[in-house]
Amino acid sequence: MSQQQTEILHEGRANGLPFLSFERYPQHTSGELRYNELDWLNLYHAYYVLLDPEGLTKFDATSWDVQAAFENSLEDAWRQSAGVEMVDHPEETRVNVVGPLKLVHTSEGPLSTRTLFECAAVIDELFQFEGAFMRMSDPMLREFLLEEMSGEYGLPWRLASALAGRDLGGSVVLALIDFALNPVVPGLTSADPSVDWRELYPPYRFAAAAKAMADWESDLEFQHPSHESTVHFQRVLAKRSGLRMGRVVSRLSGLSTLREAATAHMHLAERTPAVSFLCASHLLHLREEDACALAHYGVNFLDDRALRFVDPDRDMWWLFPVFQVSQGEYRWPAEHVNLDEATDLLVSAAVASAYDDVLHGTGPLSSDHLPRTLLEDQGEVEALNKVLKDSTGLDIGWRTGLNP
């Protein structure tokens, strides 16, 4: 940005105006910045429609072209990730989303992708009361989880049972959610640039899959899920629902170790996605070997499967959050990266998160995701702010003592 644009940004933030806003578009009337602004708002809008439309304000939801947002965002993502994370992007290829872009409404309110995630998480946690960790599980936790299922998080389960015309077990609901959360994505599933909204939007996929259970009983209703029964369920469900199961047909990462993600030459803002893609590659490999280990994460608490948790740092470090802030302290897998490498990855994550704050927020940068000890040291904060300014060109940073 020019010096004048930078001054406008600082002045707007000081007056409570975010740099990018649906209400203020187009703020920039010419040059590359205007196109970048449009790209970012399209991505932002598509993200919230996919995950949770309630995250958008009433103005955001009604003033923006949803179809254009999705088509441009899918095309941008494909073009930026072509060759590694996604298949090659043919020149002049335009992504096309067909069919009416409708949300899924129920008698209890809208069904969102976020609700599908939340429902799956609660069902998975209930598995531990049947498995190897049962004696270590607090009985009060089970009561809490059942109470959660009676509220918003249980909406997908209740909806699926209603659409199927009978009570469905937790394993079946998890398989339906897994089917829903693996949509067909141009560039990721195939090189086909056209996708039907019904195959792209997880809540619609979930509702259609639940309807397909109306006159079909799966093996998952009578036994704990296995790799074979889960894969068979996916194939039959795809045939009965008329929707394809999304697949990742390209390599998600060219990296093989966490150390490479910390040391390979790349922009600071690229390191956090690099770690995510590396872990996702391991997860997809596990999925090919044992589909229900992810689709039904709770089975990892059952029988011999629980052994993979004995030494997760050695065998399954990528199955857990790699970097954590716990009780104000920064923690990382010491077997895979040293202190300097872990510090570089922490700085990269801080810079990447600051981008969103700078573009959409006002006031101080958020700091809850950063170690408290880092923000208590004036020298550390100044060094972090210098890195952020060098990366963004903006004199916006953190202050000491922000975390409680």
Side-chain angles (χ1 to χ4, degrees):
M1 293 188 296
S2 66
Q3 181 62 34
Q4 182 182 17
Q5 290 169 329
T6 301
E7 292 174 357
I8 291 174
L9 167 61
H10 283 288
E11 182 180 352
R13 282 178 58 85
N15 293 320
L17 297 175
F19 186 53
L20 295 184
S21 168
F22 294 103
E23 296 187 43
R24 302 174 68 199
Y25 179 82
Q27 179 180 351
H28 306 286
T29 57
S30 63
E32 184 179 357
L33 196 56
R34 180 179 182 181
Y35 294 104
N36 291 338
E37 180 182 11
L38 177 60
D39 288 344
W40 187 276
L41 290 175
N42 278 332
L43 286 164
Y44 195 78
H45 191 274
Y47 170 84
Y48 272 104
V49 171
L50 272 179
L51 183 66
D52 189 3
E54 293 183 354
L56 295 169
T57 67
K58 184 177 180 180
F59 180 89
D60 299 341
T62 58
S63 66
W64 210 249
D65 187 332
V66 179
Q67 181 155 350
F70 270 92
E71 290 180 343
N72 290 330
S73 296
L74 289 170
E75 185 178 328
D76 285 342
W78 187 357
R79 187 175 62 253
Q80 294 290 336
S81 301
V84 180
E85 295 92 357
M86 304 180 81
V87 300
D88 288 334
H89 182 270
E91 291 187 18
E92 307 302 325
T93 296
R94 299 288 300 179
V95 173
N96 181 34
V97 180
V98 300
L101 277 64
K102 295 181 179 180
L103 304 181
V104 176
H105 298 280
T106 76
S107 59
E108 298 185 49
L111 177 67
S112 69
T113 305
R114 177 188 63 81
T115 311
L116 294 176
F117 276 117
E118 299 287 9
C119 181
V122 176
I123 297 175
D124 277 325
E125 287 196 73
L126 287 169
F127 266 96
Q128 65 185 293
F129 293 95
E130 304 177 33
F133 294 94
M134 180 174 60
R135 294 182 181 180
M136 295 182 287
S137 302
D138 186 344
M140 292 299 295
L141 175 60
R142 186 173 187 273
E143 296 302 316
F144 172 77
L145 293 172
L146 292 175
E147 184 177 342
E148 289 290 323
M149 290 305 292
S150 67
E152 178 192 14
Y153 294 171
L155 169 59
W157 197 338
R158 293 189 294 273
L159 176 63
S161 296
L163 293 174
R166 68 181 188 281
D167 290 335
L168 297 177
S171 292
V172 174
V173 176
L174 281 174
L176 295 175
I177 293 174
D178 179 65
F179 183 84
L181 296 177
N182 284 274
V184 173
V185 179
L188 193 64
T189 307
S190 70
D192 185 353
S194 180
V195 61
D196 194 300
W197 178 251
R198 298 173 299 173
E199 288 199 306
L200 176 66
Y201 189 53
Y204 184 93
R205 292 174 59 85
F206 179 79
K211 289 179 181 178
M213 300 295 300
D215 55 354
W216 168 50
E217 289 187 343
S218 164
D219 290 344
L220 292 177
E221 298 188 55
F222 311 106
Q223 63 189 40
H224 282 311
S226 64
H227 174 73
E228 292 74 21
S229 63
T230 303
V231 171
H232 177 70
F233 182 91
Q234 293 169 350
R235 290 171 178 168
V236 175
L237 187 59
K239 184 176 181 179
R240 293 179 64 86
S241 67
L243 303 177
R244 291 171 292 173
M245 179 79 173
R247 298 289 183 188
V248 178
V249 297
S250 55
R251 293 183 305 133
L252 283 185
S253 176
L255 305 176
S256 57
T257 67
L258 192 58
R259 174 159 285 117
E260 287 183 80
T263 58
H265 179 71
M266 64 181 76
H267 190 277
L268 278 174
E270 293 180 288
R271 293 200 186 278
T272 297
V275 172
S276 297
F277 281 129
L278 172 62
C279 293
S281 296
H282 285 291
L283 289 170
L284 287 172
H285 180 69
L286 173 62
R287 187 184 181 93
E288 292 299 316
E289 294 182 340
D290 185 5
C292 62
L294 299 182
H296 301 78
Y297 184 77
V299 300
N300 293 302
F301 299 114
L302 304 178
D303 306 322
D304 294 341
R305 291 174 179 273
L307 293 176
R308 61 174 37 131
F309 291 132
V310 172
D311 187 4
D313 285 342
R314 183 188 66 187
D315 299 322
M316 307 285 284
W317 57 268
W318 37 266
L319 199 58
F320 301 88
V322 180
F323 303 101
Q324 303 176 45
V325 175
S326 178
Q327 297 180 340
E329 297 287 340
Y330 176 45
R331 299 182 181 181
W332 64 89
E335 294 185 17
H336 301 279
V337 289
N338 59 34
L339 175 59
D340 289 339
E341 293 159 349
T343 301
D344 287 344
L345 288 168
L346 171 62
V347 171
S348 299
V351 170
S353 67
Y355 279 13
D356 195 60
D357 273 356
V358 169
L359 293 172
H360 290 284
T362 58
L365 297 179
S366 61
S367 58
D368 291 342
H369 59 294
L370 298 176
R372 183 176 61 247
T373 51
L374 173 66
L375 296 175
E376 290 174 346
D377 188 307
Q378 181 67 35
E380 295 281 4
V381 172
E382 290 178 357
L384 182 59
N385 287 343
K386 183 180 185 305
V387 173
L388 179 60
K389 183 177 181 180
D390 291 343
S391 177
T392 64
L394 302 172
D395 192 14
I396 296 174
W398 293 272
R399 299 195 303 268
T400 56
L402 287 179
N403 275 324

